[in-house]
Amino acid sequence: MGIYWALIRVFFLIGLFGFGGGYAIIALIRYFVTIQEKWLTSTQFIDVLAISQITPGPIAINSATFIGYKMAGVLGSAIATLASVFAPFILVFSSSYFFHKLNSDKFKRVLENLRPMTFALIISATYSIVSSSLLDFKSFIIFLISIFLSYINFGNIPLRLLLMAILGEILYFLRF
């Protein structure tokens, strides 16, 4: 029973404080899962992000589902998923009430003030992933090529991930 309550607590808090969408929430998920609870290593967390990115659906919910499954099977997966969406549901539901009852300009100003925090969360998540992922020169090459492919908007994200996985296998397997 302890792991189920831990999954509920962690993913409810992540959903409650995760402003800015899936990419902004990654740093928070990483903190809880790898540092506080120590359920995953940094490398395992990056693998979860990659799997969550290539599967359909929001990355935060996919991550919660995968981590819940890893920690407690199918029931853990369902619990983590529901806990991660319950807090945002309550926040959006109550926000919509206040949006219509209060002065909408003040409410919009509050939301505008949250944007810099969202940007900071995304930068924090990016830094934590990059610092854990760039282990050697080969990973740096893969990083640069993937940045370039994203910049020129080559294909879609799953295709880019597949190409970089193939490149990674070539570089590491053939020991270039």
Side-chain angles (χ1 to χ4, degrees), residues 12 35 38 64 98 112 128 160:
F12 183 81
I35 297 171
K38 300 186 186 322
F98 288 113
E112 288 174 2
S128 67
R160 282 182 244 151

Side-chain angles (χ1 to χ4, degrees), residues 13-145:
L13 288 175
I14 289 170
L16 187 63
F17 296 110
F19 289 100
Y23 293 106
I25 211 169
I26 289 172
L28 199 56
I29 296 172
R30 182 179 181 274
Y31 169 76
F32 277 110
V33 172
T34 65
I35 297 171
Q36 185 176 348
E37 299 294 332
K38 300 186 186 322
W39 289 336
L40 301 175
T41 65
S42 291
T43 305
Q44 289 173 323
F45 181 71
I46 291 170
D47 293 340
V48 167
L49 288 180
I51 292 169
S52 299
Q53 182 66 45
I54 61 173
T55 52
I59 192 167
I61 293 174
N62 291 346
S63 298
T65 304
F66 186 81
I67 293 167
Y69 183 79
K70 181 170 178 16
M71 297 310 301
V74 174
L75 184 58
S77 174
I79 287 172
T81 303
L82 290 175
S84 70
V85 298
F86 187 65
F89 173 77
I90 292 171
L91 289 174
V92 168
F93 188 73
S94 59
S95 299
S96 65
Y97 173 79
F98 288 113
F99 182 76
H100 291 292
K101 293 291 181 187
L102 299 176
N103 184 348
S104 64
D105 289 336
K106 288 182 181 177
F107 194 77
K108 287 179 184 176
R109 203 170 310 130
V110 169
L111 293 178
E112 288 174 2
N113 290 335
L114 290 175
R115 287 183 191 156
M117 181 188 71
T118 302
F119 179 71
L121 288 171
I122 292 171
I123 294 298
S124 173
T126 303
Y127 174 75
S128 67
I129 293 169
V130 167
S131 64
S132 300
S133 300
L134 298 181
L135 304 174
D136 54 19
F137 185 71
K138 296 172 191 174
S139 61
F140 187 70
I141 295 296
I142 293 170
F143 171 74
L144 288 179
I145 292 173

Side-chain angles (χ1 to χ4, degrees), residues 152-168:
I152 65 170
N153 206 15
F154 178 81
N156 53 28
I157 292 173
L159 176 64
R160 282 182 244 151
L161 283 171
L162 178 65
L163 290 174
M164 293 304 103
I166 292 170
L167 178 62

